[in-house]
Amino acid sequence: MTTATVSLREVRDSDLPFFWRHQSDPEAQRVAAFTGEYHRDRALFDGHWAKIRANSDNLTRTVVADGEVVGNAAVFGPPDERQVTYWIDRAHLGRGIATAALTALIGLVPTRPLHAYAAADNTGSIRVLQKCGFVVTGHDRGFALARDAEIDEAVLILRAV
C-alpha cells in the first residue's frame, strides 16, 4: 500500500469532469450499488451537483491526493439524521485515501451521530467507515440501481466519543 498525501478543499467547477469520470465508471457503480440516474446521464449529473453545491446545509469537499483530484466526500441531511458519503476513483483505492478523507471530513463536523450506509458486500467501504469509528448497527434491504436488484445494505453510526 502506498500512502498518499490527502487533503480536502471546497469543490470547484473544474472538479466536476473528474467526478463525472469517477462516478460514471460502471465497475465503480456496481461496487457502490446504490447509485442514481445521474451516474448515467451527464446532464442529470450536472443538475445534481448544482443542487448539492447550492445547499448550504451540505458540507461537500473535493478529495485531493498527491495534488490530483481523486474523489469527493460530503456530510448532508437534516441535523438529527446527518449522513456521510464519499466516492474515490477506483484507480486510487487501497492507498488509505478514503480513510484519510473521511477522517478529515468528520473532523470538520461536530454533529453526532453521523450515519452511513453501504452495500453489505462492499467490504472495502465498510472497513473504511469502521476505521473512522462507525459501528454497524443494523442491516436493511434496498433497490440498487447499479445492480438492478434489491440487495442487503449495512447501516452504520458514528456516535459522540
Side-chain angles (χ1 to χ4, degrees), residues 16-145:
L16 296 180
F18 293 101
F19 295 173
W20 171 249
R21 190 183 79 227
H22 304 157
Q23 294 181 11
S24 64
D25 172 359
E27 178 56 23
Q29 289 178 17
R30 189 197 67 70
V31 172
F34 296 100
T35 59
E37 287 295 337
Y38 59 88
H39 288 96
R40 299 176 178 180
D41 179 293
R42 181 61 195 254
L44 292 176
F45 174 87
D46 289 341
H48 175 74
W49 273 95
K51 287 179 192 172
I52 289 170
R53 294 175 72 193
N55 186 338
S56 62
D57 291 336
N58 295 339
L59 175 66
T60 307
R61 295 292 184 259
T62 296
V63 179
V64 178
D66 297 333
E68 182 181 348
V69 173
V70 298
N72 62 79
V75 176
F76 67 97
D80 56 338
E81 296 177 19
R82 301 288 281 167
Q83 291 184 41
V84 299
T85 187
Y86 60 92
W87 194 292
I88 303 299
D89 180 22
R90 198 164 47 98
H92 295 278
L93 297 178
R95 297 175 52 208
I97 293 170
T99 302
L102 187 57
T103 298
L105 182 74
I106 62 179
L108 298 174
V109 181
T111 305
R112 299 293 183 270
L114 290 174
H115 303 268
Y117 302 87
D121 61 0
N122 188 345
T123 56
S125 189
I126 293 170
R127 189 170 49 250
V128 165
L129 290 158
Q130 289 175 322
K131 286 180 182 179
C132 293
F134 284 80
V135 175
V136 176
T137 59
H139 287 86
D140 202 353
R141 286 191 61 79
F143 182 77
L145 181 62

